[in-house]
Amino acid sequence: MKVSVLAADLSDNATGRADLLARLLSARYDVEVVGPRFGADVWMPAREGAIPQRSVRAGRYPGFARHIPALLDLVDGDVIVASKPRATSFGLALLARARRRRPLVLDIDDWEIGFFSRSGPWGRIGRALNVANPNGLPWTWLAEKLVSRADAITVASRFLERRFGGTLLPHVRDTEAWDPGRYDRAATRRRLGVDGEKVVMFLGTPRGHKGVDDLVEAVGSLGPGVILALVGVDAARSGAQRWSAPAYVRVTGEIPFDDVPRYLIGADVVVVPQRDTMDTVGQVPAKLFDAMALARPIVSTSVSMIPEILEGCGVVVEPGNVGALAGAIKRLLDNPVDAADLGRRARERCESRYSFRVARATLFPLIEKLTNQGP
């Protein structure tokens, strides 16, 4: 049986969740990730991965409408999984289902409308008038209104579960493949250009709401001997030059997803400094689970589900509090034995709650119920 996973934009980091769903499903089904691509190429971290992808280069309306037939031709699976309630994923999935009746699962990993709310009422008015953008506010609002038309819903956080219902399916990691014993920590540190320094790491796609500015300031206050490694920074994005300016910061560009463990293993502490904004209220950073699988000590903030996920196996501080963030990082750096124990407990938590094995035990029965097939 074939499953088509529809991504809203294969050139954007939103592809990460679609790729994860496909990896989970690929243990039992033939899977492809398909959808529009608004940039020149597929998002780099997923481009050379294990999951095949097919995309159509698209743009804004009215031109986007010309590509809809070609996009619908890509959706040829026996089951459709739409990643995100966006018009360019869920909207296309509804049209594909209308062509030929197939089960449609909608996966929601962010509160998409929340992303449009951060600039206040005037900003929302401007975005509401932007009908040319297929992933703009008007079309996203419409897609959210149609959520109940999916045959099943999976969600990535408690907030989204309360808002949309469905089955909780957090971001998870392949803890068997991501065994920290398989990776060379010394080689990673050489790659990062560090010797005896302690390494604080942020790995992911940096955005303002992800607190990178707070982290740069916090690490700067720790004095010499501490390096901040920012991995996954697109040099063309706003903020990249500012973050890379301090001498204690090492910046690495985007890396393939399968190379993530080779970088994370070099970190003494991994920090996920989410800010408390409309962007993050429903969001759970996938990079938390990267670090947990690799048994890295983690410092994060009390946003969304993070306190629940890291209870007893990570350090959680108030969002936006640079002093508290710096203090938590320093305590772990100064107490490597305690930090290692915290990392060990984080991996145990990942294995027991946030592993591929656990997620498949949720996802496979859902697919089988929709298709009336046994295992």
Side-chain angles (χ1 to χ4, degrees):
M1 188 170 72
K2 183 175 181 179
V3 180
S4 294
V5 179
L6 255 166
D9 180 3
L10 272 163
S11 62
D12 184 76
N13 71 326
T15 303
R17 178 70 174 186
D19 184 75
L20 169 63
L21 295 168
R23 287 173 186 254
L24 289 171
L25 291 162
S26 66
R28 183 168 292 180
Y29 309 110
D30 179 19
V31 185
E32 279 187 327
V33 176
V34 300
R37 190 183 77 250
F38 293 92
D41 208 340
V42 172
W43 184 53
M44 187 272 178
R47 193 180 304 158
E48 303 298 330
I51 302 298
Q53 303 143 347
R54 289 189 295 156
S55 60
V56 171
R57 181 68 187 271
R60 297 166 70 84
Y61 279 114
F64 180 78
R66 296 197 304 270
H67 300 292
I68 291 177
L71 286 164
L72 293 179
D73 287 342
L74 298 179
V75 190
D76 57 4
D78 304 292
V79 176
I80 307 170
V81 177
S83 176
K84 296 183 175 291
R86 293 268 186 170
T88 57
S89 51
F90 182 47
L92 289 171
L94 289 170
L95 292 176
R97 187 181 63 177
R99 275 185 163 188
R100 178 166 64 88
R101 180 67 190 178
R102 290 163 284 174
L104 168 55
V105 181
L106 171 61
D107 179 76
I108 308 175
D109 71 323
D110 278 316
W111 183 36
E112 303 297 326
I113 296 297
F115 290 131
F116 296 100
S117 302
R118 59 177 173 263
S119 57
W122 288 111
R124 286 194 294 273
I125 290 171
R127 289 182 170 91
L129 298 174
N130 184 14
V131 295
N133 181 0
N135 279 322
L137 177 54
W139 303 109
T140 303
W141 176 86
L142 177 60
E144 184 171 308
K145 292 298 181 184
L146 298 175
V147 161
S148 62
R149 299 198 178 189
D151 297 304
I153 297 171
T154 54
V155 294
S157 74
R158 301 286 185 198
F159 172 90
L160 298 171
E161 185 180 36
R162 291 190 297 269
R163 189 172 186 87
F164 299 107
T167 301
L168 182 65
L169 186 72
H171 298 302
V172 293
R173 289 296 176 257
D174 186 346
T175 51
E176 293 182 10
W178 287 32
D179 181 341
R182 297 186 178 190
Y183 300 96
D184 188 339
R185 178 173 165 83
T188 295
R189 293 175 67 84
R190 288 193 298 271
R191 188 184 303 117
L192 293 171
V194 298
D195 186 12
E197 300 96 336
K198 296 177 179 179
V199 177
V200 178
M201 186 175 291
F202 173 96
L203 191 153
T205 305
R207 297 280 193 272
H209 64 270
K210 297 185 179 183
V212 177
D213 288 295
D214 298 337
L215 179 57
V216 171
E217 183 180 349
V219 174
S221 71
L222 300 179
V226 181
I227 294 297
L228 172 59
L230 300 177
V231 181
V233 178
D234 181 348
R237 284 195 174 275
S238 173
Q241 290 187 345
R242 181 174 73 254
W243 297 325
S244 61
Y248 59 88
V249 178
R250 305 279 192 275
V251 173
T252 302
E254 292 180 320
I255 62 172
F257 176 73
D258 291 325
D259 282 350
V260 166
R262 296 183 179 90
Y263 282 84
L264 272 181
I265 200 67
D268 294 291
V269 176
V270 173
V271 185
V272 184
Q274 292 280 92
R275 288 179 171 173
D276 187 9
T277 70
M278 295 295 286
D279 305 74
T280 60
V281 65
Q283 188 177 76
V284 176
K287 63 183 72 66
L288 277 179
F289 305 100
D290 296 342
M292 293 173 76
L294 270 295
R296 298 298 88 200
I298 303 167
V299 175
S300 191
T301 53
S302 55
V303 176
S304 188
M305 268 182 73
I306 294 174
E308 174 187 335
I309 293 165
L310 292 182
E311 183 180 6
C313 63
V315 179
V316 177
V317 300
E318 180 185 357
N321 188 329
V322 173
L325 190 66
I329 296 169
K330 186 176 188 304
R331 285 193 298 275
L332 291 180
L333 293 177
D334 290 346
N335 297 279
V337 174
D338 292 343
D341 181 62
L342 202 66
R344 176 186 58 77
R345 283 184 273 147
R347 177 167 169 81
E348 290 174 353
R349 175 69 56 79
C350 196
E351 288 178 310
S352 65
R353 297 187 188 179
Y354 308 114
S355 66
F356 272 23
R357 173 185 58 81
V358 173
R360 283 170 175 154
T362 298
L363 190 55
F364 287 166
L366 185 150
I367 298 293
E368 288 154 9
K369 180 180 179 180
L370 291 175
T371 57
N372 296 314
Q373 291 189 8

